[in-house]
Amino acid sequence: MAPVDHPGPHDAFRALAGRRGRPGDRLIEALAAARSQTPDRPGAWAPEVARGLGLPAASGLGPAGYYADLAAPRGRRHVRVCTAAACFCARGGQPPADVEEALGVAVDSVSADGGTSVQGVRCLGYCYAGPAALDGDAARTGPSLAAQLSGREPPRAPDVPAADGTGDPVLLAGPVAGEPDWRVWPAAVAAGAPEAVRREVAVSGLRGRGGAGYPVAAKWEAAGGAPGTVVVANGDEGDPGSYADRLLMESAAGRVLEGLALACFACGARRGVVLVRSEYPRALARMRDAVERAYADGHFGRSVHGTGTGLDVRVVEGAGSYVAGEETALIARLEGGRGCARPRPPYPARRGLWDAPTVVNNVETLAAVPWIVARGGAAYAARGVPGETGTKLVCLSERFAQPGAYEVELGTPVRRIVEELGGGLKGGAGAAVVQVGGPLGGFLGPDDLDVPLTAAALDARGAALGHGGLVAFDRSVEPGDAMRHVWEFAAAESCGACSPCRVGSRTGLEWALAGAPPDGAWERLSRVLAEASLCAFGRRVPAAVRSLARAYGEPLAGWSR
């Protein structure tokens, strides 16, 4: 499709960014472009990039040394190898030595001639087909990953298997049921009644699907329709084990954008931003293409469908950071800074992107909004359970006999998801533990699966709903290796903004590598992490560690206190 000449979609964003003296909203993109042209460390090129934008050198060095995509060594051929939970389990808990041998380069290093670099990353969204890697932007997956990367076998990168488990899908209405996109938005904007959209979403009881579970209508209300409000579609799905957002952005991009448009309308916002993880290159391309089509079809622009409503939307690429999916860290990234969590208050709905009121909604959350507006909030509230209404995409990892994304109603027993939808584990193997809700969500043992898929029920079992990823750890993974893996993730992805998490995650990793924590030390460290960490990342670590220890029992007894 040829580029569409729409009226200045980025002008409003540049004007907004210019209100404050923070790093420009194009800094990360400029740093990424420079990074792709050199194997040198950031200190050699980041200051010049910042100066070229009229910014101090430190403005470039900060993010360039923070984000994995900018800081990692880079050769002319750059391979990103997944080391996250699902691929870790697909390898039986072993490191990707076969990939290193095939490429002749160790993970997180570059060859002597600068020809090839290998970077370890934590989730590429191919949890259903792991182990996985990105060779440039081309995916490679499966047991023959090393042979594919060396050219001995052809590439293999299957699409996400998706199925409805409800009988009337909400989120998969397009990909599975074939419902067309953009049926709701033209009528809603023509009616000129944003309060009607807010009312239906409030009645629905929809909660955020990004992990925090905050009521969507309450977040919209907090913005108060203030002038300059921005709505951000958060596609930085960082929880290893979940690929729901990737599925929606690749196969239902129009539905996601329609939900964003309705959210902007309800909040009185004239600007929307879609942030897509850099680890999802196909999703990034499809969202950009969908935005261009939306402008061409009149859904976006200065006068949407001939009304007095204007809406500008742009797509932004992430730069490689788990914590940058947290809403205040995400806003920091959009401003060109390090993606670190910020203290609250002020809350983003009052003072967010460039100090404007900002509403951040997860991609899956927004994808439910068109269905709710079309069918009515009461119809959505009739599904799920009281207090946690509606449906959820759950993602099953490669160890399951039938891996893929399934739409289920909240309250569905986890055992039904594991045994009926997922078909149990491959080859009839028994699960040692099942990770639910990401690496900092929690773990359930085989006898703990009779729990409803709700945030409240999982929290009572020491787990979490999170993004809804389920990763099966079979008995090929040693308990100590599983514990080490959790701490490696925590230490690598802590943003470093607060000492409890920065120091605590590294201390925990040292203990895991040693085999167990010193007597009494874990109890003290867990209390500091849970009570003093700046954001939910550090606060969730103790619960995740304890749930893993409980699920495995005696082998990890030192971590159960």
Side-chain angles (χ1 to χ4, degrees):
M1 172 179 288
V4 178
D5 184 19
H6 46 71
H10 303 322
D11 292 347
F13 292 97
R14 293 195 179 103
L16 181 65
R19 289 169 44 185
R20 306 293 294 176
R22 297 174 181 166
D25 70 339
R26 292 295 172 189
L27 176 60
I28 304 297
E29 288 78 0
L31 290 169
R35 164 82 283 183
S36 67
Q37 299 299 316
T38 177
D40 295 335
R41 296 288 182 178
W45 48 268
E48 189 60 34
V49 171
R51 283 192 287 265
L53 295 172
L55 298 167
S59 296
L61 281 171
Y66 174 82
Y67 292 105
D69 291 355
L70 304 178
R74 185 170 294 255
R76 291 183 294 277
R77 179 190 183 189
H78 187 61
V79 178
R80 287 175 281 182
V81 178
C82 183
T83 62
C87 291
F88 170 80
C89 291
R91 295 189 179 98
Q94 299 303 305
D98 56 338
V99 170
E100 293 177 322
E101 182 179 356
L103 295 174
V105 183
V107 171
D108 294 326
S109 63
V110 61
S111 61
D113 63 356
T116 303
S117 54
V118 179
Q119 177 189 357
V121 297
R122 289 159 191 87
C123 203
L124 297 172
Y126 286 89
C127 315
Y128 55 90
L134 285 178
D135 190 354
D137 284 344
R140 309 284 185 261
T141 69
S144 65
L145 175 61
Q148 294 174 52
L149 290 170
S150 66
R152 298 194 308 272
E153 291 195 14
R156 177 181 178 272
D159 290 334
V160 179
D164 171 50
T166 70
D168 183 14
V170 174
L171 300 161
L172 297 180
V176 171
E179 285 189 12
D181 302 327
W182 297 111
R183 295 193 307 169
V184 179
W185 172 238
V189 73
E195 64 276 4
V197 175
R198 293 196 299 269
R199 180 175 61 251
E200 295 302 334
V201 171
V203 169
S204 75
L206 176 66
R207 290 177 175 269
R209 297 302 191 227
Y214 195 79
V216 173
K219 183 177 281 192
W220 290 0
E221 189 67 29
T229 297
V230 183
V231 178
V232 179
N234 186 355
D236 198 347
E237 175 183 50
D239 274 357
S242 177
Y243 41 90
D245 289 356
R246 184 187 145 228
L247 167 66
L248 291 170
M249 289 187 288
E250 290 183 3
S251 64
R255 185 67 54 100
V256 172
L257 291 177
E258 186 173 18
L260 174 62
L262 290 164
C264 289
F265 185 56
C267 295
R270 298 176 70 89
R271 289 178 293 275
V273 181
V274 184
L275 181 70
V276 185
R277 302 181 73 219
S278 64
E279 295 89 344
Y280 290 175
R282 186 190 297 179
L284 181 67
R286 293 196 176 170
M287 291 304 297
R288 284 174 169 162
D289 183 59
V291 167
E292 292 292 346
R293 289 201 305 272
Y295 273 105
D297 294 340
H299 301 310
F300 299 156
R302 292 178 181 169
S303 177
V304 174
H305 295 299
T307 68
T309 297
L311 180 58
D312 280 327
V313 174
R314 69 181 175 106
V315 179
V316 177
E317 182 178 5
S321 168
Y322 175 81
V323 171
E326 189 272 340
E327 62 178 9
T328 63
L330 179 151
I331 289 168
R333 179 263 171 267
L334 290 175
E335 292 175 341
R338 294 162 60 93
C340 298
R342 296 172 175 172
R344 290 176 287 186
Y347 290 91
R350 291 294 183 185
R351 212 170 96 194
L353 181 62
W354 302 111
D355 285 347
T358 304
V359 172
V360 180
N361 287 142
N362 164 262
V363 158
E364 184 179 337
T365 307
L366 293 171
V369 173
W371 192 98
I372 291 169
V373 175
R375 304 278 194 98
Y380 189 85
R383 311 181 73 171
V385 297
E388 297 192 42
T389 60
T391 68
K392 180 80 185 75
L393 283 176
V394 293
C395 300
L396 305 188
S397 70
E398 176 270 347
R399 291 287 86 191
F400 287 96
Q402 297 164 186
Y406 297 86
E407 185 168 356
V408 300
E409 292 197 13
L410 285 169
T412 301
V414 172
R415 188 173 300 278
R416 180 188 170 234
I417 297 169
V418 168
E419 297 180 356
E420 294 182 25
L421 299 180
L425 268 61
K426 289 181 177 177
V433 299
V434 176
Q435 182 189 76
V436 184
L440 302 183
F443 297 81
L444 300 175
D447 297 331
D448 298 324
L449 299 180
D450 294 310
V451 56
L453 188 79
T454 64
L458 289 168
D459 183 66
R461 299 289 184 94
L465 178 60
H467 266 86
L470 274 66
V471 178
F473 285 57
D474 64 22
R475 301 196 181 278
S476 68
V477 178
E478 293 294 328
D481 290 338
M483 180 61 72
R484 172 182 53 79
H485 178 76
V486 170
W487 280 111
E488 284 177 340
F489 179 87
E493 293 294 344
S494 173
C495 77
C498 68
S499 297
C501 182
R502 181 181 66 252
V503 178
S505 59
R506 294 174 185 173
T507 301
L509 176 58
E510 291 173 4
W511 294 345
L513 291 171
D519 288 344
W522 166 232
E523 186 175 359
R524 293 192 297 273
L525 178 61
S526 65
R527 187 167 59 251
V528 171
L529 279 165
E531 296 177 6
S533 294
L534 181 60
C535 77
F537 183 92
R539 294 195 293 267
R540 279 296 313 170
V541 171
V545 168
R546 288 197 181 97
S547 70
L548 179 62
R550 283 195 298 269
Y552 272 115
E554 183 58 32
L556 299 178
W559 298 96
S560 60
R561 290 182 288 276

